[in-house]
Structures are given as structure tokens and as C-alpha cells.
Amino acid sequence: MRPATIPIRLDDVAADLAMDCASPRATQSLRRRASLLASPAEQLRLLKAVMLEADFDALAGTALRPAQLEVFQVNLGKLCNMTCKHCHVDAGPDRTDAMMDDATVGRVIVAIRRTGAHTVDLTGGAPELHPRFRDLVQAAVDAGKHVMDRCNLTVLLLPRNAGLVDWLAERNVEVVASLPHYRRPNTDAQRGDGVFERSVRALRVLNAAGYGKGDPRRRLTLVSNPAGAFLGASQASVEREWREGLQQNFGVGFDRLFVLNNMPISRFLEWLQASGNLESYMQRLVNAYNPAAVSGLMCRNTLSVGWDGRLYDCDFNQMLDLELALPAGAHIRDFDEDAWQRRRIVTARHCFGCTAGAGSSCGGQVA
Ligand code: SF4
Ligand code: SF4
């Protein structure tokens, strides 16, 4: 059963977001617009209705089985200071309905101390907006884990986050920063006017704190995604191009870059449908199915914890309400790593987004 909406302390966040909301934005959340696609069941129904011959499970076969648990990914909620067009979370400033409560934060901390996973990956929404973000980072650092902060860059400039970059740097937290493109028009088209300029300012703050300069304790990873219904180019060539573009034009550096495919869910699914690209994009993903990508899929070595404590094979399944297939229940309070190891990974048609081309995971291309 889902917990009731929590009385989270968001007053301090609200003032910051009011400032950010004043800037022109790309869109609003599906939930705020009362779109049918705010419902995961409706998204799955739409994907199922696409004429496709291929069956994901039949193609992936026995190669799609659990591996060692390496990454403990925690989604702190859907609150975000932005509302990007391609968002697979349907995040936005209005999403205070979906935020991790204190009891669940406590259970997550207990599980982090117990897990054999070497990495704790904090995501959202914008995880830095959660009132317990620093508590979770500190608990994971104290447990000896490598911590990744999935950051949208602009959130670092909000007044409430003054000093956060230095605080993360002191704890060797890796910043995994999403930036759709190193060119202003491409980024602003997905994220809203002015976002590129603020992202560059945030990159400068990170560089000044030692991030993006080759120091493994201050790793700055950028994450890019295509700006339309096509697959990303080769990660190595995109990284070279971005390194030159960002350094020459803006004097900022980074350590590595991930290229992700856009997943056909949530707001990107809405755009695919509205633009008449849904059938062709799904067929493109199927045509580009790469069996070599299966062994590197993140659902094999990652546990995804939802804002309400429910458990999933990955963040995408989380957004589609496709819970872990565990007989004892799929909630962090009952988490059993041995049972997790024996589970069947839950799949559906969106999974073709992970195996197309060079593959796509939270760690970028996989094949
Ligand atoms: S894509 Fe990231 S930054 Fe944009 S709305 Fe979604 S969670 Fe926020
Ligand atoms: S969407 Fe999730 S479950 Fe499906 S292949 Fe990708 S990582 Fe695995």
C-alpha cells in the first residue's frame, strides 16, 4: 500500500522554486496538466498498442538475469526546479506529492549500511531539493560507499544550496550532471530558456571546487541525451566534441560523459505521440536491438528504491509502476539481498530503449 502524502517541510524550498519558476520553462508536469499519460498504466497501454513484431523477453532470453548487486539507487522524489520536455520522471516544481518521508529515509539508511553494493546513487527529480539529502549522502559516505549525485546543474545555483558543491567535494561525492547539449539552443529547447546559461555557471562553480579536472575524488560526469526521436552518437566521439566545445567556448571542463537513449515513457512518450514519432521511434529501437548490450543493462546489478520505499529493477520500471518480482514483497523495509539475486527481471516494451544501438544505462552506453 502506498503511504499517504507526507507533510514534508518544503517551506524553505518553495521560496527558491518560486524564483526559478519565474523563468520561462519548457512545459509543465503531466500531472499538473491532468494528462492521461500521467498514469503509468496508460503509458504501458500506449506502448502495447504500437504495431511491433518483436518481443523483448524472447530476444534478451536468459542473458537478462540478475548479477551481483553493485549500485543502490535511491529516488528521493519528483520535486525539481525544472520541467524538461523529455523528463522520464514527470518531475517539476509542483511534484511535492511524491517525496520520500522521514520513516522511509531511515529505512533506506539502514539498508545502505547493510548492502554489499559499492555505490549509492541518489536521484530524483532534483535530489538536492530533498530536506534529508545531506543526511543520506553522509550516511552513505560513513558506510564506505561511493556516492553519486544525479544533478541537473541549475539546482546548485539556488540560494538554499549555497555551499553545497564544496560540501560534496569534501566527501568525494561524484556529480553526475545532466546537460542535454553543449550548445545553448539544443539545451534550452529541452529545458527552457536560460537553462544553458545557468548550467554553464554551475559548471564553473564545480570546476572552482576541483570537479572536472581529472581528480578521481572530484569526478564530474556529464550526461547527454538526443534532442529528438533518434539514437545518440558514439559516446567517445560525443565526449571529444563536447570537451572541445565546452572548453573553447566557455572555459569549463569535465571528466567523462555518458550518452543515454531517450526512453519512450512519461513526457518523452507524450512528445513522441504528439509529434507523430511514436511508431517510428519504437521501430527504430527494435531495429537497433543489440544483443551485446544485454549483459551491461543496469537492471542486472542495480536496485532502484522509489520515493515511497517500493523497489524496482530500474528507475524506468519505477516510473511505470512495474515493481520488483519478489514473493516476499517489494519494499525497502523487507529488502532481502539473497532473494533479490534470484528474482526475475520485469520487462516491457520500453526496455528496447536500453538495448538499442550501443545500449543505454545510468552509466551511459554499454556495448
Ligand atoms: S529531466 Fe531532470 S532536471 Fe529535467 S525535470 Fe526531469 S528530473 Fe528535473
Ligand atoms: S528498462 Fe529497466 S528493466 Fe528494462 S532493460 Fe532497461 S534497465 Fe532493464
Side-chain angles (χ1 to χ4, degrees), residues 71-143:
V71 181
F72 194 100
Q73 188 176 65
V74 184
N75 191 309
L76 292 175
K78 300 188 180 186
L79 184 66
C80 187
N81 56 314
M82 297 203 282
T83 347
C84 311
K85 274 184 185 151
H86 64 295
C87 183
H88 77 269
V89 178
D90 197 28
D94 60 306
R95 296 308 310 269
T96 52
D97 60 296
M99 295 282 281
M100 189 169 278
D101 64 14
D102 277 339
T104 307
V105 169
R107 288 180 181 126
V108 167
I109 289 173
V110 169
I112 285 173
R113 288 179 183 140
R114 286 186 187 148
T115 179
H118 52 68
T119 293
V120 171
D121 180 340
L122 300 175
T123 188
E128 305 88 345
L129 291 178
H130 195 286
R132 302 287 307 277
F133 171 73
R134 292 193 193 211
D135 293 343
L136 272 162
V137 171
Q138 192 63 56
V141 168
D142 291 346

Side-chain angles (χ1 to χ4, degrees), residues 289-337:
Y289 177 78
N290 180 357
V294 177
S295 62
L297 293 178
M298 63 182 163
C299 48
R300 298 194 61 221
N301 70 348
T302 302
L303 171 74
S304 168
V305 185
W307 62 270
D308 55 4
R310 292 192 293 159
L311 305 179
Y312 305 84
D313 291 302
C314 69
D315 205 46
F316 307 121
N317 282 11
Q318 183 181 143
M319 300 313 148
L320 291 171
D321 266 352
L322 299 172
E323 291 186 51
L324 270 192
L326 284 181
H331 195 277
I332 192 66
R333 77 172 87 81
D334 311 310
F335 182 55
D336 173 348
E337 210 154 310

Side-chain angles (χ1 to χ4, degrees), residues 140-303:
V141 168
D142 291 346
K145 309 297 182 188
H146 173 65
V147 181
M148 299 168 94
D149 170 26
R150 301 249 165 207
C151 177
N152 69 23
L153 289 174
T154 62
V155 75
L156 298 175
L157 303 180
L158 297 179
R160 77 184 313 268
N161 285 332
L164 179 61
V165 170
D166 288 332
W167 189 87
L168 294 171
E170 283 161 15
R171 286 156 184 79
N172 302 338
V173 173
E174 178 178 357
V175 175
V176 183
S178 57
L179 183 68
H181 205 276
Y182 71 90
R183 292 196 179 103
R184 183 189 316 270
N186 308 51
T187 289
D188 284 359
Q190 280 191 23
R191 302 206 131 169
D193 294 342
V195 168
F196 182 77
E197 186 269 332
R198 284 185 289 151
S199 301
V200 169
R201 273 169 48 208
L203 285 170
R204 289 194 176 117
V205 172
L206 285 160
N207 282 176
Y211 279 98
K213 299 189 164 180
D215 181 347
R217 294 165 307 158
R218 310 268 192 280
R219 187 146 72 174
L220 172 58
T221 300
L222 295 189
V223 179
S224 88
N225 58 288
F230 50 88
L231 301 179
S234 131
Q235 195 158 280
S237 66
V238 174
E239 181 173 316
R240 266 194 306 277
E241 187 186 340
W242 281 52
R243 203 175 284 291
E244 280 178 25
L246 284 173
Q247 191 61 52
Q248 286 172 8
N249 298 325
F250 307 102
V252 292
F254 61 91
D255 294 307
R256 60 177 180 166
L257 180 140
F258 296 157
V259 174
L260 305 187
N261 291 338
N262 284 313
M263 293 299 280
I265 64 175
S266 196
R267 295 209 288 261
F268 188 66
L269 177 61
E270 179 193 44
W271 177 82
L272 286 171
Q273 187 189 30
S275 61
N277 279 298
L278 178 56
E279 305 270 338
S280 60
Y281 187 67
M282 290 306 295
Q283 196 58 59
R284 175 167 292 154
L285 296 181
V286 170
N287 293 347
Y289 177 78
N290 180 357
V294 177
S295 62
L297 293 178
M298 63 182 163
C299 48
R300 298 194 61 221
N301 70 348
T302 302
L303 171 74

Side-chain angles (χ1 to χ4, degrees), residues 59-72:
L59 283 169
T62 54
L64 190 63
R65 61 180 184 280
Q68 189 80 16
L69 180 58
E70 295 184 82
V71 181
F72 194 100

